[in-house]
Amino acid sequence: MATLWSKISAALPAEEEQFPLQFSDKVESSVTDMLKRSRRQLYSDTTSTSPTLSAQIILDLSWEKLNTGTWRDVDKEWRRVYSYGCLFKVAALCREDPSADDVRQAVRTCDMGLLMGAAIMDGILQVVVRILQGEVRKSTEEEEESEHEVKRIKIEGPRVPLIREEVTVPRTKRPSLESFNTNYLLPLKPVILEGVIDHWPALNQHPWSIEYLRCVAGCRTVPVEVGSRYTDEAWSQTLLTVNEFIDQYILNKGGAEGVGYLAQHQLFDQIPELKEDIRLPDYCCLGEGEEDDITVNAWFGPGGTVSPLHQDPQQNFLAQVVGSKYVRLYSPEDTDKLYPHQSQLLHNTSQVEVENPDKERFPEFAKAPYLECVLQPGDVLFIPVRHWHYVRSLELSFSVSFWWS
Ligand SMILES: O=C(O)CCC(=O)C(=O)O
């Protein structure tokens, strides 16, 4: 661990004067004074107050602002203050001969900054977490070498629905851009594209697996959805490391209740190593939006995770990387038969449990025509804008979806 601090400090500005700390007057001067004190501590060898304490005060003050009112109304300035607090705490943890636990805590602190804060200093938290992760990986590999334990996953027999030929989503192999545009994008027709992600490193160079995820991201803290489906009362969100998520919800160690789903919009920004394993499908260039506006989502979970029937305001490519998933699709023209929730928050979600519908409450549902399919690794399902989709994983599964316009 001796060189860890030298690697981190090499990523910081060389002089205190070059370390930027600029805030609008929305941030009180007592807080900016505390930030300046932490900066001074970062560049001096001897300090009177503990750097950990100063960083914690900044974190506590900004955390309160982040948790007051709705997230939409939280001022970005306070999210920046929070990120600085995280950076100073990481420095305090790693400066003097950090233990393995200190390093793990530092990784968690960076992740909290990346999830809750706003970008500072050209993404410094991203740079620092990469350095820290290298350190954790080294020590995990050492531990594993002495373990030699073969880890097996309990795979329950999936409830695989019988797909009727006449309602199955059509498949096509590597269509040209023009053919995809004419036959599917313009008429807004769902289709499964085959052979278009075979070149992804996630499917060949280093195939995604539990071991690979542990290695690349095991110590990273990510938001996890807990509960069978997000429409359930008992559904909640929590923060876990990827290792904790795998142990509790995939390997079922410790008997965690319910289904855990790592369904995330930010995962690939938070962990760029995973983003390097995937590619934007070429067909996205047919959209009118900018490439930077494409949202890339991760969906990682055990068999049995369910995304209730819902619709999204963009085109979607749902790419299956690991395991299989059952998908049911309904056209937006049949929305009146799908009984969307009344509330503003869930108006894009149907009240119907697709595979076990309440026929009395939702009598029209059975009349709505649909298409269905089972996605296998390598398949990419085109879900046209506003098409209702219901998804259930049949086994351990990792998919990536691209929302584009
Ligand atoms: O795979 C899933 O569980 C849901 C995917 C989805 O809803 C989406 O990509 O919009």
Side-chain angles (χ1 to χ4, degrees):
M1 300 277 174
T3 56
L4 178 61
W5 178 242
S6 51
K7 287 186 204 157
I8 294 177
S9 51
L12 297 171
E15 311 280 338
E16 184 179 343
E17 294 67 38
Q18 296 161 352
F19 188 107
L21 269 183
Q22 263 129 28
F23 295 94
S24 72
D25 52 11
K26 285 184 184 143
V27 179
E28 294 107 31
S29 58
S30 57
V31 177
T32 46
D33 287 348
M34 188 57 83
L35 286 158
K36 284 180 192 153
R37 184 182 305 170
S38 287
R39 176 174 64 180
R40 202 165 321 122
Q41 287 170 339
L42 197 57
Y43 288 90
S44 75
D45 294 330
T46 52
T47 48
S48 47
T49 23
S50 143
T52 319
L53 182 65
S54 314
Q56 198 56 50
I57 294 172
I58 297 168
L59 285 173
D60 290 347
L61 285 168
S62 49
W63 185 251
E64 200 179 315
K65 299 279 184 189
L66 262 50
N67 286 286
T68 306
T70 55
W71 180 247
R72 197 176 334 121
D73 299 326
V74 173
D75 201 283
K76 199 164 169 201
E77 287 290 87
W78 282 105
R79 295 180 55 201
R80 291 180 60 239
V81 173
Y82 182 75
S83 295
Y84 275 104
C86 291
L87 180 60
F88 292 134
K89 181 160 174 191
V90 168
L93 281 165
C94 297
R95 208 167 167 160
E96 272 155 36
D97 200 15
S99 64
D101 247 20
D102 290 331
V103 179
R104 280 180 216 276
Q105 209 187 322
V107 172
R108 187 182 164 84
T109 305
C110 283
D111 281 327
M112 290 305 289
L114 291 168
L115 291 168
M116 305 292 287
I120 53 165
M121 298 167 62
D122 290 331
I124 185 74
L125 288 176
Q126 198 64 269
V127 175
V128 171
V129 80
R130 214 168 177 143
I131 298 170
L132 292 168
Q133 231 187 306
E135 213 64 32
V136 177
R137 210 183 289 184
K138 258 193 262 160
S139 57
T140 321
E141 276 164 13
E142 280 160 19
E143 274 167 31
E144 272 175 5
E145 267 171 32
S146 59
E147 249 185 30
H148 295 305
E149 182 203 338
V150 182
K151 298 181 184 83
R152 299 211 179 277
I153 311 159
K154 189 183 80 195
I155 300 181
E156 282 168 19
R159 258 189 313 129
V160 185
L162 267 182
I163 311 278
R164 283 182 296 129
E165 181 91 32
E166 60 278 19
V167 294
T168 190
V169 180
R171 289 176 169 266
T172 176
K173 202 158 188 167
R174 276 199 295 272
S176 65
L177 289 177
E178 198 190 336
S179 152
F180 174 74
N181 196 35
T182 314
N183 297 314
Y184 305 103
L185 182 58
L186 292 175
L188 298 174
K189 282 199 180 140
V191 63
I192 295 170
L193 306 172
E194 293 178 347
V196 300
I197 59 168
D198 296 352
H199 61 296
W200 283 13
L203 278 139
N204 52 62
Q205 259 152 279
H206 21 82
W208 283 358
S209 64
I210 289 191
E211 288 68 32
Y212 180 70
L213 281 180
R214 279 197 195 279
C215 176
V216 179
C219 61
R220 306 298 300 276
T221 297
V222 290
V224 169
E225 299 184 354
V226 179
S228 302
R229 56 202 81 209
Y230 65 75
T231 41
D232 284 359
E233 291 238 329
W235 183 88
S236 65
Q237 275 178 306
T238 187
L239 290 172
L240 292 177
T241 65
V242 170
N243 278 335
E244 287 165 345
F245 172 68
I246 291 173
D247 287 338
Q248 292 175 29
Y249 290 102
I250 299 213
L251 302 180
N252 246 322
K253 290 186 194 161
E257 299 247 324
V259 181
Y261 203 10
L262 204 167
Q264 249 243 62
H265 309 318
Q266 275 173 296
L267 190 80
F268 294 110
D269 289 332
Q270 195 190 341
I271 306 171
E273 290 88 336
L274 286 177
K275 197 170 193 172
E276 284 157 20
D277 290 342
I278 62 174
R279 305 283 180 265
L280 284 184
D282 290 344
Y283 305 99
C284 291
C285 74
L286 296 168
E288 283 159 11
E290 297 292 317
E291 200 173 297
D292 282 351
D293 296 331
I294 297 174
T295 306
V296 187
N297 309 290
W299 309 91
F300 173 48
T305 54
V306 169
S307 290
L309 186 63
H310 68 282
Q311 56 173 188
D312 297 307
Q314 285 185 290
Q315 316 280 9
N316 187 352
F317 284 125
L318 178 60
Q320 191 62 16
V321 181
V322 176
S324 54
K325 268 180 169 173
Y326 169 69
V327 185
R328 182 91 76 89
L329 299 169
Y330 291 86
S331 160
E333 285 166 19
D334 294 306
T335 300
D336 54 342
K337 299 188 187 72
L338 305 181
Y339 302 89
H341 282 267
Q342 301 293 311
S343 71
Q344 181 61 23
L345 195 66
L346 286 177
H347 72 279
N348 70 336
T349 303
S350 162
Q351 300 177 66
V352 184
E353 259 186 61
V354 168
E355 291 183 276
N356 182 24
D358 182 334
K359 296 188 177 91
E360 276 177 22
R361 277 182 73 203
F362 310 117
E364 294 298 302
F365 181 68
K367 297 181 197 152
Y370 60 82
L371 289 177
E372 61 182 354
C373 61
V374 171
L375 291 181
Q376 302 289 355
D379 287 344
V380 176
L381 173 64
F382 170 54
I383 306 176
V385 56
R386 295 216 177 275
H387 263 64
W388 293 84
H389 45 294
Y390 163 87
V391 186
R392 175 167 62 85
S393 63
L394 300 175
E395 56 191 319
L396 171 79
S397 159
F398 204 141
S399 339
V400 179
S401 70
F402 301 84
W403 292 344
W404 56 288
S405 295

